[in-house]
Amino acid sequence: MSRRVVRQSKFRHVFGQPVKADQMYEDIRVSKVTWDSSFCAVNPKFVAIIVESGGGGAFMVLPLAKTGRVDKNHPLVTGHTAPVLDIDWCPHNDNVIASASEDTTVMVWQIPDYVPTRNITEPIVTLEGHSKRVGIITWHPTARNVLLSAGGDNLLILWDVGTGEVLLTLDDMHGDLIYNVGWNRTGSLLVTTCKDKHVRIIDPRKQQVVTEKVKPHEGARPIRAIFMADGKIFTTGFSKMSERQLALWDLKNFEEPIALQEMDTSNGVLLPFYDPDSSIVYLCGKGDSSIRYFEITAEAPYVHYLSTYSSKEPQRGMGFMPKRGLDVSKCEIARFFKLHERKCEPIVMTVPRKSDLFQDDLYPDTPGPEPALEAAEWLAGKDAAPILVSLRDGYTPVKNRELKVTRKNILDKPPVGPCRSHSTCDANFSRPSLEDLLEEIRSLRHTVQAQEKRISDLENKLCKFTNGTA
């Protein structure tokens, strides 16, 4: 008799477990918008969830520790005039989050470490460049303040959030609605999927499609694609018979997948979440009640099914914690934030180990919060891998770092002294008066910013005072 050889892997016994009821976030009216984004974004400080709101679009931000029932008057982030479709935390500043909306704008917000007493309505910067709704946003993995947005106008726009300006506009590349966009590990290439059934690899700085694959999956339903750490492409889609599929592609030969697996006939789009440190891909379908996970290896058959986390309730969306936000003392290798209709339920993925010591093999150095490049360096053609940090002693989030937006102004000139005589001003209105006005606007803007900071400081003190007396 021949014995079946079991593949050796330290991740073979990974299991998922929901947290206890008192560690969930209850009484949240999760958005009902029909859009295939994850509706949830998490980092080591906060969980953000797109919620229902009358007369515009909103999302809620909760400190991770604020579990249990959420107060019905909990402040929201409410600047958009139409539903919010996507949110994404900045990888280099845990207090900065971007939101994209049906109102055609992208907004970037500074979230304070304390819970504010009223809604946050003023973004740090509003990015206006799309003519139709913006459904996708994703930050550059290694360059500071670089944000990508994709809209219903089939445009990709790269922004420098630090100046509020457009860095690059990628048009004439997509003939139809863009389904998803992903960066490679260094941020030198993009992968996009589109309603025209093409998967495209794009060099954004050269503004050209490097290579593309038509119909990687034969079915009509949306495709998703992400980069692996080694440059391969992982896709999910549907067969002609509407079976859900996953595939792995090597860009050296984009004609045929190096791995293809069929799963089931459910109609929910599979959202892939990838952990490059463990080389595990987790697949979460909207409307599914399970999370399947697979290990990706360098040798055939490349994609190895590990297990499935199953529950009774379907998921409305899913957040995925960055590695630096995990509890290394409990051998936690992933944490999901599953959205239900009225709550958010963290699900912890663990590798069973008997030892209490730090497990080096489970936690290689992982991308930290420091950017490797400035926006201008990246735009000029420089690439850099993420700056890594060790998780040996756990990770402590840094304090609130303020994002400063410095807008360039083509009218800016050396300041001119204030005008003393009204008659002279009126007579010379054409030139000096314009500079005077700009100077006055700058002065007023500084005053307003100083007052806003003062208000924020006072709110902070008030919050500490009320927390102390509670």
Side-chain angles (χ1 to χ4, degrees):
M1 281 177 66
S2 65
R3 285 178 60 199
R4 184 164 162 263
V5 178
V6 176
R7 187 181 70 90
Q8 289 295 312
S9 169
K10 58 192 168 219
F11 301 114
R12 246 182 49 221
H13 302 293
V14 169
F15 67 98
Q17 208 169 18
V19 297
K20 294 188 175 81
D22 63 348
Q23 293 175 304
M24 298 181 192
Y25 307 87
E26 308 263 6
D27 262 9
I28 298 166
R29 293 167 56 225
V30 176
S31 174
K32 294 186 173 70
V33 173
T34 50
W35 185 251
D36 281 327
S37 81
S38 57
F39 283 20
C40 180
V42 292
N43 70 18
K45 282 187 175 185
F46 303 103
V47 53
I49 300 161
I50 302 175
V51 293
E52 286 285 288
S53 76
F59 60 96
M60 177 183 284
V61 177
L62 296 165
L64 282 188
K66 200 170 177 61
T67 53
R69 196 172 296 279
V70 177
D71 189 303
K72 67 178 188 298
N73 296 318
H74 186 88
L76 303 176
V77 183
T78 58
H80 289 287
T81 57
V84 175
L85 300 177
D86 199 11
I87 48 177
D88 194 27
W89 287 105
C90 175
H92 308 125
N93 188 332
D94 286 339
N95 292 77
V96 170
I97 188 169
S99 58
S101 167
E102 265 185 29
D103 67 10
T104 75
T105 68
V106 173
M107 292 182 177
V108 181
W109 310 84
Q110 181 98 28
I111 306 298
D113 283 333
Y114 60 91
V115 176
T117 51
R118 57 175 184 263
N119 287 352
I120 298 174
T121 57
E122 291 296 320
I124 314 168
V125 64
T126 300
L127 306 172
E128 297 174 310
H130 289 281
S131 59
K132 292 188 178 173
R133 69 180 183 177
V134 188
I136 299 164
I137 42 172
T138 177
W139 293 88
H140 192 284
T142 62
R144 189 195 307 272
N145 293 342
V146 176
L147 179 67
L148 180 145
S149 62
D153 48 12
N154 309 338
L155 282 186
L156 292 175
I157 301 180
L158 285 104
W159 308 86
D160 181 347
V161 172
T163 62
E165 293 183 333
V166 173
L167 289 176
L168 297 163
T169 301
L170 308 179
D171 50 9
D172 302 328
M173 288 187 182
H174 300 87
D176 214 326
L177 181 68
I178 300 163
Y179 284 143
N180 94 292
V181 184
W183 294 97
N184 67 350
R185 189 164 170 82
T186 61
S188 61
L189 294 174
L190 294 167
V191 59
T192 69
T193 62
C194 180
K195 199 174 180 182
D196 64 10
K197 298 184 182 175
H198 288 235
V199 171
R200 295 174 174 86
I201 309 301
I202 295 169
D203 184 327
R205 289 168 298 193
K206 290 182 180 169
Q207 303 194 33
Q208 67 183 41
V209 177
V210 179
T211 182
E212 60 188 308
K213 171 68 183 166
V214 186
K215 286 193 177 178
H217 300 275
E218 294 286 337
R221 304 256 314 125
I223 298 164
R224 295 271 158 165
I226 54 173
F227 268 103
M228 301 286 100
D230 62 1
K232 294 188 179 75
I233 300 290
F234 183 94
T235 60
T236 65
F238 294 79
S239 70
K240 270 186 180 165
M241 308 302 291
S242 293
E243 289 177 303
R244 294 199 290 194
Q245 296 177 320
L246 63 83
L248 189 67
W249 308 80
D250 191 331
L251 293 183
K252 297 186 189 82
N253 178 15
F254 213 2
E255 288 307 305
E256 293 295 325
I258 57 175
L260 178 68
Q261 291 186 24
E262 291 186 342
M263 285 180 290
D264 55 24
T265 52
S266 178
N267 63 357
V269 175
L270 286 167
L271 306 179
F273 295 92
Y274 173 55
D275 173 20
D277 296 345
S278 60
S279 202
I280 295 177
V281 173
Y282 302 84
L283 300 182
C284 310
K286 270 203 164 181
D288 287 12
S289 52
S290 62
I291 302 171
R292 292 180 181 84
Y293 38 107
F294 300 80
E295 187 176 357
I296 314 296
T297 59
E299 305 83 34
Y302 302 106
V303 180
H304 307 269
Y305 171 74
L306 290 172
S307 189
T308 300
Y309 165 81
S310 296
S311 61
K312 291 176 184 166
E313 297 287 323
Q315 54 231 17
R316 295 280 293 275
M318 196 69 82
F320 186 53
M321 177 66 79
K323 207 62 175 274
R324 58 196 171 88
L326 303 181
D327 187 344
V328 297
S329 67
K330 293 179 179 163
C331 296
E332 181 185 358
I333 62 159
R335 193 187 314 158
F336 289 91
F337 286 70
K338 173 180 170 178
L339 298 187
H340 298 247
E341 205 168 316
R342 300 280 305 189
K343 72 177 177 185
C344 173
E345 174 189 35
I347 295 161
V348 175
M349 298 284 179
T350 308
V351 176
R353 293 273 168 100
K354 287 177 180 169
S355 171
D356 290 335
L357 300 173
F358 178 73
Q359 307 293 308
D360 296 78
D361 60 325
L362 297 184
Y363 301 106
D365 289 357
T366 196
E370 289 303 318
L373 296 169
E374 297 299 326
E377 291 178 301
W378 177 79
L379 189 63
K382 199 171 174 185
D383 289 321
I387 295 174
L388 306 181
V389 294
S390 169
L391 298 179
R392 177 171 289 277
D393 301 315
Y395 172 78
T396 306
V398 291
K399 287 234 161 52
N400 189 350
R401 291 187 299 188
E402 194 176 342
L403 171 62
K404 289 185 169 60
V405 177
T406 312
R407 286 195 177 277
K408 292 177 185 167
N409 190 335
I410 54 165
L411 298 174
D412 272 358
K413 289 180 183 171
V416 174
C419 187
R420 298 270 174 252
S421 158
H422 289 289
S423 57
T424 318
C425 269
D426 293 340
N428 300 325
F429 183 77
S430 55
R431 272 200 302 259
S433 182
L434 176 61
E435 291 168 352
D436 293 343
L437 281 169
L438 287 170
E439 180 59 31
E440 192 171 348
I441 287 167
R442 273 197 291 273
S443 170
L444 284 169
R445 194 176 285 141
H446 285 140
T447 307
V448 169
Q449 284 171 347
Q451 295 301 335
E452 280 179 348
K453 188 177 185 310
R454 174 82 178 132
I455 290 166
S456 175
D457 291 344
L458 287 169
E459 279 183 342
N460 205 349
K461 284 177 185 168
L462 180 65
C463 189
K464 284 176 184 168
F465 178 74
T466 50
N467 287 346
T469 56

